[in-house]
Amino acid sequence: MCDIEEATNQLLDVNLHDNQRSVRLTESDLTSESELLVTIGATVPTGFEQTAADEVREKLGSPCKISRDRGKIYFVISLESLAQVHCLRSVDNLFVVVQEFQNYQFKKTKEEVLKDFEDLAGKLPWSNPLKVWKINDSFKKKKAKRKKINQNSSKGKINNGQEVKIDQRNDKKDFTSHALDSHILDYYENPAIREEVSTLVGDDLASCKDETDESSKEETEPQVLKFRVTCNRAGEKHCFTSNEAARDFGGAVQDYFKWKADMTNFDVEVLLNIHDNEVIVGIALTEESLHRRNITHFGPTTLRSTLAYGMLRLCDPLPYDIIVDPMCGTGAIPIEGATEWSDCFHIAGDNNPLAVNRAANNIASLLTKSQIKEGKPYWGLPIDAVQWDICNLPLRTGSVDIIVTDLPFGKRVGSKKRNWNLYPACLREMSRVCTPTTGRAVLLTQDTKCFTKALSGMRHVWRKVDTVWVNVGGLRAAVYVLLRTPEAFVHPSEQDGERGTLW
């Protein structure tokens, strides 16, 4: 809330309309502005709409509506909750709704429909959504700038308690000295990770300098807003294309606001979302998807952080649970878990040494960012990375509470043929290390035929509770929620001949 208030107080004489009418937000207006109710739309991983809606209700206390267009949710918040919206873990992109048409009546010909879109631009209630966009834009800039230099601004005292004024010329030196303190770098024994830490700090310094120069330029030169219109259309009964709708509606927006059209380097992105007869006009609040928040070293099949969060939420982690991803890849699932469920312990494991190294570097990157943000050593990540064999885990029987993993689809990693042996072996080893009765597993795979066959041979130890169908990179995949049965694990060598067979 404080960040929003600071950003709001700095909004003076913002030209938004074609008549150059100014919108002045002063301290006396702060209360009324913060109480302004706006509708926020969010794109979420397809199939996890309900999970995202539950998070919104839990963290924001706002009612949430799931759109008929899959992968979108809508909720109403007050302006003072805008910063909290950006902290949601299950959403990819955010936008503020200008107006929603539940049953838009399209004309019969393309020319008439496009003419209606042109006329629509001047009839929409742009004022409040543009205020939200401007506050959100200022908040993002302040947050990014403070993230880079908050260490320097927080240094106000020396050992004898006397306050000192930090010269701007010494900012870079102080920042480097603090961030590369030897007792921080000594923590990283792996040379590759140490190099990654140094690179991260160097990138922060360069970014800090660029943002400072850009901020100074903005203060001296008046800014002409640049925009683009993006049309997302779904449905087969439309007589127009997405490009045609974006072109004609965008031309009308340009005439109305006198903005400059720019398809790549834009300030404002206007969204035209069309799903059958539902039309929603919005303004984007995010420049890139929020799912790229933790991972810096990507692998061939890196899982989106938002999808990883949804999978973890399905298993309902409890305090002190041991959560294992035995096929972690770059570590997206355990890193997301360690960030959101810090009262649990997370283990990331894989048989590929390159994958384990990427996971370790991603963990180090997140730890370093936390250290830079706090301005001091930060050892608060309950996570570890291990190289192991999924079919022979170095874990005690019944020692794991939750298993969450992305199984090989057999496309970019592995093969469909190998999955017929791998899946049953994985389920058997997972049943050994998982706690009987209370143990849970959430497993993602696109090879549903192979998994169903493997699960049918393990019904004595695993019971399927739910199946969530999701879209992963254009592929229809399934997330299986399993519960460990009370039956104790028996090693195949100790079983009789009938039970000892895989099927």
Side-chain angles (χ1 to χ4, degrees):
M1 189 186 303
C2 295
D3 295 326
I4 293 295
E5 291 177 358
E6 292 174 13
T8 304
N9 288 331
Q10 294 186 0
L11 301 181
L12 301 175
D13 300 322
V14 180
N15 293 323
L16 296 175
H17 295 280
D18 57 334
N19 59 4
Q20 301 300 306
R21 180 163 53 90
S22 296
V23 178
R24 180 180 291 271
L25 298 179
T26 62
E27 189 171 345
S28 60
D29 299 325
L30 180 59
T31 302
S32 60
E33 292 295 335
S34 63
E35 294 175 353
L36 175 68
L37 296 179
V38 293
T39 301
I40 301 295
T43 60
V44 302
T46 302
F48 280 95
E49 295 88 353
Q50 188 58 55
T51 301
D54 292 340
E55 185 192 12
V56 169
R57 284 189 285 265
E58 176 186 305
K59 295 182 178 179
L60 300 180
S62 302
C64 189
K65 181 186 75 172
I66 298 175
S67 173
R68 289 179 296 175
D69 185 10
R70 294 196 71 192
K72 292 186 179 68
I73 61 172
Y74 298 93
F75 50 94
V76 178
I77 63 165
S78 60
L79 197 54
E80 64 182 5
S81 301
L82 185 59
Q84 293 175 268
V85 173
H86 284 270
C87 296
L88 294 174
R89 315 295 296 183
S90 56
V91 302
D92 289 320
N93 291 285
L94 298 166
F95 58 94
V96 56
V97 175
V98 177
Q99 191 163 350
E100 177 182 5
F101 302 91
Q102 289 286 350
N103 190 21
Y104 189 89
Q105 298 300 318
F106 292 101
K107 298 292 178 60
K108 294 183 179 180
T109 66
K110 181 187 357 182
E111 291 73 18
E112 290 178 313
V113 173
L114 297 179
K115 182 62 169 61
D116 284 348
F117 281 147
E118 292 180 11
D119 298 337
L120 180 63
K123 301 176 182 178
L124 297 173
W126 295 99
S127 180
N128 286 340
L130 281 170
K131 289 179 184 177
V132 174
W133 170 83
K134 189 61 183 179
I135 292 174
N136 182 79
D137 189 58
S138 300
F139 167 62
K140 287 191 300 182
K141 290 179 180 178
K142 284 176 62 64
K143 183 178 179 181
K145 184 177 180 180
R146 184 169 60 253
K147 181 180 179 181
K148 309 300 181 183
I149 63 176
N150 70 335
Q151 291 174 247
N152 305 312
S153 61
S154 64
K155 290 182 180 180
K157 294 185 179 182
I158 54 178
N159 292 336
N160 58 8
Q162 296 179 347
E163 294 187 358
V164 295
K165 186 175 182 180
I166 303 177
D167 193 296
Q168 190 173 6
R169 292 170 299 181
N170 295 328
D171 282 354
K172 182 175 180 180
K173 179 179 178 181
D174 293 340
F175 185 87
T176 307
S177 174
H178 188 86
L180 294 180
D181 204 305
S182 61
H183 70 274
I184 294 179
L185 283 182
D186 287 346
Y187 176 76
Y188 307 104
E189 299 179 359
N190 189 320
I193 299 179
R194 288 172 61 90
E195 182 179 355
E196 166 64 17
V197 173
S198 302
T199 303
L200 275 172
V201 175
D203 291 343
D204 284 338
L205 290 173
S207 178
C208 179
K209 181 180 183 299
D210 292 341
E211 290 182 5
T212 303
D213 295 341
E214 187 177 324
S215 177
S216 301
K217 183 177 180 180
E218 288 178 356
E219 292 175 0
T220 57
E221 298 179 5
Q223 183 183 18
V224 178
L225 290 180
K226 293 176 287 186
F227 85 105
R228 82 172 184 187
V229 172
T230 301
C231 179
N232 303 300
R233 184 180 60 87
E236 300 178 354
K237 298 181 179 181
H238 302 135
C239 60
F240 57 91
T241 65
S242 300
N243 288 336
E244 290 171 337
R247 179 196 63 202
D248 288 46
F249 183 70
V253 171
Q254 184 178 27
D255 293 339
Y256 183 70
F257 288 108
K258 307 303 180 186
W259 291 342
K260 180 181 178 181
D262 193 322
M263 298 299 104
T264 55
N265 187 27
F266 52 87
D267 301 302
V268 184
E269 182 177 20
V270 179
L271 304 175
L272 183 61
N273 295 330
I274 303 172
H275 179 73
D276 292 331
N277 289 334
E278 181 185 70
V279 176
I280 297 178
V281 180
I283 300 176
L285 300 179
T286 49
E287 296 177 1
E288 64 176 5
S289 177
L290 298 177
H291 82 269
R292 303 174 65 90
R293 53 179 171 255
N294 293 329
I295 305 301
T296 55
H297 293 74
F298 290 85
T301 59
T302 299
L303 198 66
R304 298 166 71 96
S305 296
T306 47
L307 188 54
Y309 173 84
M311 292 175 61
L312 284 159
R313 194 176 174 93
L314 284 177
C315 59
D316 192 21
L318 300 175
Y320 311 113
D321 274 351
I322 305 297
I323 304 177
V324 175
D325 182 354
M327 309 172 82
C328 69
T330 56
I333 293 175
I335 287 176
E336 187 67 23
T339 304
E340 183 69 9
W341 288 275
S342 58
D343 51 2
C344 301
F345 188 76
H346 306 262
I347 304 177
D350 203 287
N351 70 331
N352 190 330
L354 294 178
V356 176
N357 189 54
R358 289 193 193 101
N361 282 327
N362 284 323
I363 295 171
S365 299
L366 186 60
L367 181 60
T368 302
K369 291 175 183 177
S370 300
Q371 290 172 339
I372 294 174
K373 180 179 179 180
E374 298 293 332
K376 60 183 179 180
Y378 177 74
W379 321 117
L381 291 179
I383 184 173
D384 205 352
V386 185
Q387 181 178 353
W388 57 29
D389 178 9
I390 176 61
C391 299
N392 188 23
L393 298 175
L395 299 171
R396 290 200 305 267
T397 300
S399 61
V400 175
D401 298 291
I402 297 173
I403 294 176
V404 185
T405 196
D406 175 13
L407 296 170
F409 287 11
K411 293 183 177 292
R412 294 183 182 178
V413 175
S415 66
K416 296 280 188 180
K417 183 177 180 180
R418 291 180 57 189
N419 286 348
W420 287 98
N421 292 324
L422 178 64
Y423 281 15
C426 289
L427 286 174
R428 183 169 55 247
E429 183 66 0
M430 290 177 187
S431 69
R432 181 186 70 82
V433 300
C434 216
T435 307
T437 306
T438 60
R440 292 93 76 197
V442 177
L443 310 176
L444 168 67
T445 181
Q446 189 262 342
D447 195 352
T448 55
K449 181 179 179 180
C450 179
F451 185 86
T452 302
K453 181 67 174 177
L455 184 61
S456 66
M458 303 294 294
R459 289 176 179 170
H460 58 291
V461 289
W462 288 116
R463 178 171 63 88
K464 186 176 74 171
V465 177
D466 193 12
T467 303
V468 179
W469 295 96
V470 299
N471 185 302
V472 181
L475 299 175
R476 187 171 185 263
V479 176
Y480 294 95
V481 182
L482 309 179
L483 181 65
R484 182 67 167 83
T485 67
E487 184 169 337
F489 174 82
V490 179
H491 195 275
S493 61
E494 302 174 2
Q495 296 173 336
D496 56 27
E498 182 179 354
R499 178 63 62 83
T501 61
L502 290 178
W503 312 114

